[in-house]
Amino acid sequence: MKKSHVVAVLLASAAHPAFAREATALPPIDVETVASPATITTAPSTITAVTREDLRARQANSSDIAGLLSDIPGVAINTGGGFSGMPTIHGLSEQRLAITVDGHPVDSACPNDMNTPMSYTDPQTVGEVRVITGVSPVSLSGDSIGAVIDVRTPAPRFSRSDSLLLTGEVSAFYRSNDDGAGGAVTLTAATRSLSATYTGSFTSAGRYSGGGDLGLVHSSEYRKTDHQLALAWQGAIGLVEVKGGYHYSPYEGFVNQYMDMTSNKSWFLNAHWHNEFAWGALDLKADYRSTDHEMNFLDDKGGSADGGMPMNTHVRSGGYTLKADIPLGPVHTLHFGQEYHRETMNDWWPPVAGSMMMSPDTFLNINNGERTRIGGFGEWEARWSDKLSTLAGVRYDHVAMNTGAVQPYGTGMMNMADATAAAAFNAIDRRRADNNWSGSFLASYAAAKGLLVELGYAHKTRSPNLYERYTWGTGSMSSRMIGWYGDGNGYVGNPDLKPERADTFSLTVTAGDPKQGWSVKATPYYTHVNDYIDATFVKAFTTMMGVATGFNQLRFANVEAEFYGVDAAVTTPWWDNGALGKTRVTSSLSWVEGQNVTTQTPLYHQMPLDIKVAIRHALGAFEAGADVEWVDAKTRVDPARNEPQTPAYALLALRTAYTWKTLRLSVDVENLLDKAYYLPLGGISLGDYSASGGTIRRAVPGRGRSVNLGLSARF
């Protein structure tokens, strides 16, 4: 088999200090490790590769891959559970991003989005994460309007001799703040043509403490286990891979939701074939995933000894992606692809014995829901000279959706709002079909030595998900069970939602000298979205006495929206002395504003100005560093959601590590000064609200001081 080539250009200043890389093309991968090739050589300059080495250095600090990505300029995290944060990039939330694991999409199976795509991954076992924060080619993202996140497990490894190759890695961590602990193992056995790799991980944590005097943060505990077996064969017909895995989480508290996850079981089977021919290359991927999800109350929210409020979701999904790359000479290359993805969903809430509101029938929230997408794309890549390259593409996606008849818990007075809504919902034709067109253009020009300019434009389209279109309950309780925003409000679906259509412009200017170790990058951008799916006010929730609770009922609705901002990053050498080691300083800035143009109000979950500075020193096997992050006050908030304002804050972290041969020991201290602060994208701390009987209403506190220990060894 021919050696695979990874030709994407990874630029140093595209990443935060922890992930900075030299501006150079990666060399061909050795036959011992075979990776899926990046078929586009004109890679966007806003791409950032978070490598296995990067993750190994930070895996003791978080069990959430999404959380670690917040070090990249332009990336912020909407608070979820302990291992299921929701990334937002340039103001666009996770639902609008193209997120894949090994190139396969992972559908949400929860009305609160508790099982996000990256919740099935672990920092201790992931091989690499690639993030494109700016304009991305249409070949990498369909049915989305935002950035691209591609999570990759380790590529298959093969022996370079007749001897059996045995290799692997083990790791463990401990965090003092929440008594978080876990471990992972990766084992590979391979010959020249066959490879088998097992990866497994376990992580568990209790409730964390907020900084300063903010105290215990309720509903923040979690536990999960992941297993995966990958088999690969390389020969005359190319590379063939088959991967299967199982994920189980017995519980995960959600600090900003009324519900908690009380079970999430998911298994998957993926297949991949790649081969190169005289005329080009073919790449085929197929997948199937089954997810069974349960929600109820953990002890912080009253427990489920009396039945609580069980909510179940089953999702079955699968599909394939076929791509072809056809070089037409040294200048032009054509890329074609065809995709199919189908999702089926049942979301039901069993009755609770003895409850007047939640009985006698099963509440059918989504009944035999289905969402099918068929798409195709074509791209033209041209390398006109050593200085100029372009990439232009167009794609079409047909998205068809439908769902069956629904029913409320009952038809009594306490269920009258839902009973009326169910009758109206069942009376309409629920079939919907969207014909979505997207296009992208990237032009990269090396204006001078060490100076690169990239201009990008994309028109991309995303159809609503099943929950946005088909959740129908208008009762106070039923609508509050819907929504992944962490704001305590209730949401009602809208079958007549139109697809979101986004036009994005970006300009990236990069200057640097890899030999001297300095780089500067700036990326201003602007996105205008027609039919952006926001939420409009329906009514204010009140107590039995008619007193406003501060929470509202909202209905999903199309509006006009815009986002604009800038990402910037600087890397500079500070000290370079052979005897005393090397020191460098890196910094980044992210600023974004999102506006609802229809109502002339701020959009929800927009990160305020975020500035990071890091110092790294290396002396032989010893590493040390310090991080400072300053976040501005969040004063632009969404009035419809009663979004909380948060004050500005600054955090300090210290990092040390020592590597002896293949053994690495790290000690990090996060929030060294135990600063009290609130998360700008955390929403409302509903765990504390429930535990206090409704007397404590506050934004979600940030974590207090934590000493994190990490140990890993490779063999």
Side-chain angles (χ1 to χ4, degrees):
M1 178 184 177
K2 297 179 181 179
K3 293 182 179 180
S4 297
H5 290 73
V6 178
V7 291
V9 178
L10 304 177
L11 298 173
S13 55
H16 178 263
F19 306 140
R21 286 291 176 269
E22 294 296 330
T24 180
L26 296 181
I29 289 181
D30 196 285
V31 73
E32 181 182 344
T33 303
V34 178
S36 301
T39 57
I40 297 174
T41 58
T42 308
S45 61
T46 56
I47 189 172
T48 298
V50 184
T51 68
R52 179 71 213 130
E53 290 296 325
D54 299 325
L55 293 170
R56 187 176 293 113
R58 304 295 295 276
Q59 64 193 24
N61 298 324
S62 176
S63 297
D64 183 11
I65 282 284
L68 295 179
L69 298 183
S70 63
D71 284 335
I72 300 173
V75 181
I77 302 301
N78 297 343
T79 301
F83 57 84
S84 54
M86 295 171 279
T88 177
I89 300 179
H90 292 176
L92 295 170
S93 60
E94 175 216 28
Q95 300 283 340
R96 299 176 171 90
L97 310 181
I99 303 177
T100 58
V101 179
D102 285 331
H104 305 282
V106 180
D107 294 317
S108 174
C110 173
N112 298 158
D113 200 11
M114 292 183 175
N115 39 27
T116 61
M118 285 186 284
S119 68
Y120 298 104
T121 64
D122 190 282
Q124 299 178 90
T125 56
V126 163
E128 183 182 57
V129 184
R130 294 191 176 190
V131 182
I132 300 176
T133 55
V135 169
S136 60
V138 292
S139 59
L140 300 181
S141 58
D143 199 26
S144 66
I145 62 172
V148 173
I149 300 177
D150 179 21
V151 182
R152 303 182 180 186
T153 56
R157 303 188 67 183
F158 296 92
S159 177
R160 289 182 290 180
S161 68
D162 294 330
S163 301
L164 181 67
L165 172 67
L166 294 174
T167 185
E169 179 177 352
V170 295
S171 61
F173 70 87
Y174 174 77
R175 293 189 293 266
S176 67
N177 184 291
D178 56 8
D179 280 331
V185 60
T186 299
L187 298 173
T188 295
T191 66
R192 287 182 180 272
S193 58
L194 292 173
S195 177
T197 299
Y198 165 79
T199 57
S201 65
F202 168 80
T203 182
S204 178
R207 294 172 292 184
Y208 73 84
S209 296
D213 60 355
L214 295 181
L216 197 66
V217 180
H218 294 85
S219 301
S220 56
E221 63 271 43
Y222 61 88
R223 177 173 292 184
K224 74 162 183 167
T225 304
D226 290 279
H227 302 276
Q228 179 176 288
L229 179 63
L231 304 176
W233 178 79
Q234 61 177 358
I237 65 170
L239 173 67
V240 179
E241 296 179 83
V242 177
K243 294 183 181 180
Y246 178 74
H247 162 98
Y248 174 55
S249 173
Y251 62 87
E252 184 181 17
F254 278 77
V255 60
N256 57 5
Q257 295 288 354
Y258 291 108
M259 307 299 296
D260 297 306
M261 188 166 73
T262 52
S263 177
N264 195 78
K265 300 176 181 178
S266 183
W267 65 269
F268 73 90
L269 184 64
N270 297 339
H272 175 219
W273 171 69
H274 176 84
N275 201 7
E276 298 176 5
F277 306 91
W279 54 266
L282 279 177
D283 195 85
L284 174 64
K285 292 180 178 179
D287 60 80
Y288 179 82
R289 180 177 288 270
S290 170
T291 301
D292 295 339
H293 175 73
E294 298 178 10
M295 291 194 297
N296 212 316
F297 304 125
L298 295 180
D299 291 344
D300 285 347
K301 295 172 182 167
S304 57
D306 58 353
M309 184 181 174
M311 300 172 63
N312 301 328
T313 308
H314 287 183
V315 166
R316 308 293 183 260
S317 59
Y320 67 84
T321 301
L322 177 62
K323 296 184 178 182
D325 306 308
I326 306 174
L328 301 180
V331 176
H332 304 290
T333 302
L334 298 180
H335 309 285
F336 297 100
Q338 197 268 318
E339 301 176 8
Y340 171 84
H341 185 76
R342 178 174 171 80
E343 170 193 4
T344 61
M345 174 188 291
N346 280 291
D347 190 295
W348 75 100
W349 310 346
V352 178
S355 171
M356 295 183 62
M357 178 179 289
M358 296 178 288
S359 66
D361 300 321
T362 296
F363 189 102
L364 299 181
N365 187 39
I366 301 286
N367 181 28
N368 292 321
E370 56 185 47
R371 190 180 193 274
T372 303
R373 178 172 62 88
I374 302 176
F377 68 85
E379 284 183 335
W380 168 37
E381 179 182 3
R383 301 189 65 84
W384 303 100
S385 67
D386 291 339
K387 292 185 176 182
L388 177 64
S389 61
T390 59
L391 180 65
V394 62
R395 75 174 293 138
Y396 167 77
D397 291 284
H398 177 79
V399 181
M401 302 171 64
N402 200 358
T403 188
V406 299
Q407 75 175 20
Y409 281 117
T411 57
M413 289 301 298
M414 297 190 71
N415 303 113
M416 188 54 62
D418 286 334
T420 303
F425 185 83
N426 292 336
I428 66 172
D429 183 357
R430 297 175 294 277
R431 292 172 295 180
R432 297 293 184 271
D434 303 322
N435 296 299
N436 300 335
W437 288 94
S438 301
S440 63
F441 175 79
L442 286 164
S444 180
Y445 180 66
K449 184 178 180 180
L451 178 62
L452 180 68
V453 179
E454 179 182 272
L455 177 66
Y457 165 75
H459 173 83
K460 294 194 174 182
T461 310
R462 166 197 171 255
S463 288
N465 61 38
L466 288 170
Y467 287 113
E468 288 169 327
R469 263 194 172 145
Y470 293 137
T471 49
W472 52 272
T474 58
S476 172
M477 182 274 294
S478 60
S479 63
R480 280 183 292 163
M481 299 300 102
I482 308 300
W484 39 92
Y485 305 99
D487 55 10
N489 297 305
Y491 289 83
V492 181
N494 183 351
D496 296 324
L497 286 175
K498 299 177 182 178
E500 297 177 324
R501 294 170 290 119
D503 293 279
T504 298
F505 300 86
S506 70
L507 174 67
T508 301
V509 179
T510 305
D513 188 336
K515 293 183 179 180
Q516 296 184 11
W518 69 272
S519 65
V520 178
K521 171 177 283 190
T523 303
Y525 56 86
Y526 174 82
T527 297
H528 183 275
V529 187
N530 287 305
D531 295 319
Y532 179 83
I533 298 175
D534 202 0
T536 57
F537 179 84
V538 176
K539 64 180 180 181
F541 289 133
T542 61
T543 66
M544 296 292 291
M545 303 300 295
V547 179
T549 64
F551 300 111
N552 298 328
Q553 186 178 86
L554 309 167
R555 185 183 301 275
F556 292 116
N558 293 117
V559 301
E560 186 179 357
E562 64 179 7
F563 304 81
Y564 50 90
V566 63
D567 299 334
V570 179
T571 300
T572 57
W574 189 12
W575 177 273
D576 189 352
N577 184 294
L580 299 178
K582 296 181 179 181
T583 305
R584 63 172 180 156
V585 179
T586 52
S587 59
S588 66
L589 176 150
S590 300
W591 173 74
V592 62
E593 286 203 9
Q595 183 80 355
N596 184 328
V597 179
T598 301
T599 61
Q600 290 299 312
T601 56
L603 288 169
Y604 187 64
H605 266 172
Q606 301 298 298
M607 186 70 179
L609 177 64
D610 186 4
I611 298 175
K612 300 182 177 77
V613 179
I615 300 174
R616 293 290 184 269
H617 181 77
L619 176 60
F622 177 74
E623 307 166 40
D627 293 354
V628 176
E629 179 181 14
W630 180 82
V631 177
D632 197 7
K634 182 175 177 62
T635 57
R636 300 187 75 254
V637 294
D638 183 354
R641 290 177 167 89
N642 292 327
E643 184 179 10
Q645 297 187 7
T646 56
Y649 62 88
L651 303 177
L652 173 64
L654 297 182
R655 313 195 184 281
T656 60
Y658 185 83
T659 303
W660 181 72
K661 295 184 178 180
T662 60
L663 183 68
R664 187 180 193 277
L665 173 65
S666 65
V667 180
D668 295 349
V669 184
E670 300 279 343
N671 194 359
L672 177 69
L673 303 179
D674 200 31
K675 172 70 175 180
Y677 68 104
Y678 294 95
L679 299 173
L681 305 187
I684 301 295
S685 191
L686 294 176
D688 296 329
Y689 183 81
S690 297
S692 67
T695 61
I696 297 178
R697 177 184 172 127
R698 61 178 180 175
V700 175
R703 290 177 179 266
R705 182 189 299 113
S706 183
V707 179
N708 305 331
L709 307 178
L711 181 65
S712 64
R714 288 173 283 175
F715 56 89

